Each structure stands twice: as structure tokens, then as C-alpha cells.
Amino acid sequence: MYNTIVIGAGPAGMSAALYLKRAGISVLIIDKDAPGGQLLKTSNVENYLGFSSINGADLALEMFDHIKKNSILFEFGEVKSIVRSEDYIVKLSDKEFKCKNVVIATGRKPLKLGLGEDNICGISYCAVCDGTFYKDKVVGVVGGGDSAFTNALYLSDLCEKVYIFVRSKVRASLELINRAKECKNIVIIEGNNISELQSNDEILNKVILSNGKEFMVDGLFIAIGGKPNFDFISGVDTVDGYIKVNDKMETSLENIYACGDVIKKDVYQIVTAVSEGAVAALSIKSGGE
């Protein structure tokens, strides 16, 4: 029995757990993956205060070290459901835990193009994870935001050429845009959707745009956003598919809180996720006083 169970060990979840533990509230973190969330798939972080430049995985490790130094318990496992009885029962495939409060901080799953990419080799959603497989090859990145441009810059150090396929308009920060334009092996192509992926023996070899132009590529990295991941709970109010919360990070369900990329908000950044985790924890603390 815990006072609070935090589901998700990204920046939002770890922040919530840290604030809860320091407030003397019993807390357990549950995640099916290694701590860090999307940080583990980020090459360089340059806009998080205190670190002029740090690898995403290194920042995740710093955060988890902070968690361990505060003796916060961590459980590997995938949450299958949350059941309300007298308290909440958080069910995994082989065990379950009881708690009074739940913080959902499970982030987002990568969105797909819907062009049959599940049946084609050479498609990735993580440049840091898979970039080395394409050393000295030609690749494409799909997306117009910070994630797409960060991935392209990372790949530019490994690959012969990197195309950035921007489906509408570029939304990345000016600094990232300028750095991409300065790279001789990055080509930015705006204003056309990818209409077809062609493969040879199920291995990607060509991208065709809606205007008919074709590009030979050895790999394609998709960075077009994500879908909030909270299939394990029902009955929570949503906005545009994201969990709806108030300024205390409270959801429509009693004693259920949410923070990070799983909630509806304007800014999806590490710093906002960490802040929201702290707000959720402090809301739980004040609610118990």
C-alpha cells in the first residue's frame, strides 16, 4: 500500500516522485521501460537550465540518480489497468499495488505516417537508437518541429546526406533551423506530404512526395509528434485525445493526477514536464493536510 503511485519514469514522473518523497509521502514509480522516457531518444539537450549541452540519456541518468539517492522505489512493469475500490488498485500483468493517489506521466507514443511502414525495414522513430545503422548512407527525417531538426543534426554527423521532409511549415526553433541550413549535407524540403514509401524486398529504398518527386533513401526517421499513452485507464476527461487537467494537475477522476506529455497543453518541453510533476506532487501533499 502506497500513498501515491506514479506511472511513468520520464522527467514529469520522476519530478513528481521526488517532491512526494521529500514531503514524506510514500511513493512508488512504475514503468515498463528504462527511466528517462523520450530523453533516452534525444541526442543533445541545450535548453535545460544548468546544462549548456548534455546528451538526453545522460540527463535521464542524472535524474534517476537523484531518484535513487532519495531511496524512491521503482518497479519495472506495464500497467494494464487501474481499478477503483476503497482505494485504487494498479494492476500489472503479474502483480498489483494499492494506493490512494495516482499520477499518470506516461508520455506519448510516436505517431506513424500510415503508409504501411510497419511492414518495411528501414523505418525508425529514434535517431539516437538507430542512427549508427545508417553511417555514410542517405536518410530522411519527417517532421518540421524541434525533434525532427534535432534528429537531422544528429544524423548529419553520421550520414552522407539527410533530407528533412517538412509536410507543411517549419516549426522548429530559429537556432535549430539556422544550424540545419549551415550543414552542407542537410537538405530541407517543405510543403509536401510523403505519399508513398517504396521498398525492395521489404527494405526501404525510395520516398515519393505528393508533388511526384522521388528521393532515394536508405532509412527514414519519423518525428511527427505522438499519441498520448493512457490506454490503461477509462473515464478520464480528454481534450484532442490528451488528458484534461486543471492548474493543480487534477483530472476529472478523484485522486487521479496527470502531467507531462500525456496532458493537453501548449508547450511540450522537459522544463514544463518537470514543473507539472512538481505541481501534481504538491497538490497531493496539500490535499492530504
Side-chain angles (χ1 to χ4, degrees), residues 7 30-33 74-79 92-94:
I7 306 173
I30 301 176
D31 201 319
K32 63 179 180 178
D33 297 314
F74 182 90
E75 177 78 26
F76 278 108
E78 183 177 1
V79 173
L92 283 62
S93 57
D94 58 344

Side-chain angles (χ1 to χ4, degrees), residues 8-282:
M14 286 194 281
S15 175
L18 179 64
Y19 271 77
L20 287 164
K21 179 70 174 184
R22 289 178 59 83
I25 297 170
S26 61
V27 58
L28 171 70
I29 304 176
I30 301 176
D31 201 319
K32 63 179 180 178
D33 297 314
Q38 290 300 310
L39 277 179
L40 300 176
K41 301 177 181 180
T42 304
S43 54
N44 254 357
V45 177
E46 299 178 332
N47 59 355
Y48 192 70
L49 191 63
F51 299 92
S52 57
S53 179
I54 185 171
N55 181 276
D58 290 339
L59 181 56
L61 183 60
E62 291 278 354
M63 291 180 175
F64 191 55
D65 279 345
H66 201 168
I67 291 297
K68 291 191 292 183
K69 286 175 181 176
N70 280 269
S71 302
I72 296 170
L73 298 176
F74 182 90
E75 177 78 26
F76 278 108
E78 183 177 1
V79 173
K80 298 295 186 179
S81 63
I82 299 175
V83 179
R84 183 71 188 263
S85 56
E86 224 175 284
D87 296 300
Y88 283 106
I89 302 174
V90 178
K91 294 190 174 185
L92 283 62
S93 57
D94 58 344
K95 60 186 72 174
E96 60 185 38
F97 301 93
K98 289 184 179 181
C99 61
K100 294 181 179 179
N101 304 285
V102 176
V103 177
I104 301 172
T106 42
R108 298 183 284 185
K109 301 175 183 176
L111 285 175
K112 299 181 180 181
L113 295 174
L115 297 174
E117 55 262 44
D118 288 345
N119 302 315
I120 300 175
C121 295
I123 306 292
S124 176
Y125 301 87
C126 177
V128 175
C129 309
D130 301 326
T132 53
F133 295 122
Y134 300 94
K135 185 173 174 59
D136 299 325
K137 295 184 178 182
V138 177
V139 299
V141 177
V142 188
D146 283 357
S147 293
F149 275 71
T150 300
N151 285 346
L153 287 165
Y154 175 80
L155 292 165
S156 70
D157 290 331
L158 297 169
C159 303
E160 177 186 338
K161 180 176 282 189
V162 181
Y163 295 107
I164 305 179
F165 299 110
V166 183
R167 298 182 299 169
S168 53
K169 294 182 179 180
V170 174
R171 296 173 286 101
S173 68
L174 183 60
E175 181 178 352
L176 290 175
I177 294 169
N178 289 338
R179 285 169 58 186
K181 287 180 177 179
E182 289 170 2
C183 281
K184 294 181 180 179
N185 62 337
I186 291 181
V187 180
I188 302 172
I189 300 168
E190 294 185 59
N192 283 280
N193 288 323
I194 294 176
S195 60
E196 186 179 347
L197 303 175
Q198 287 194 358
S199 61
N200 182 16
D201 292 330
E202 297 184 347
I203 298 174
L204 180 73
N205 64 358
K206 185 186 293 185
V207 166
I208 303 175
L209 301 187
S210 55
N211 62 2
K213 290 187 177 181
E214 300 181 356
F215 296 86
M216 303 300 294
V217 295
D218 299 295
L220 188 67
F221 294 82
I222 301 173
I224 56 173
K227 176 186 176 183
N229 179 28
F230 58 99
D231 297 339
F232 50 82
I233 189 168
S234 59
V236 64
D237 286 352
T238 61
V239 179
D240 298 330
Y242 290 82
I243 295 178
K244 181 181 179 181
V245 296
N246 61 18
D247 59 359
K248 295 181 180 179
M249 300 299 128
E250 296 171 323
T251 72
S252 58
L253 300 178
E254 185 181 11
N255 296 336
I256 301 284
Y257 300 77
C259 53
D261 286 4
V262 77
I263 70 171
K264 176 64 177 177
K265 55 181 178 175
D266 295 325
V267 180
Y268 293 87
Q269 293 286 315
I270 302 168
V271 67
T272 55
V274 170
S275 171
E276 292 150 8
V279 170
L282 294 172

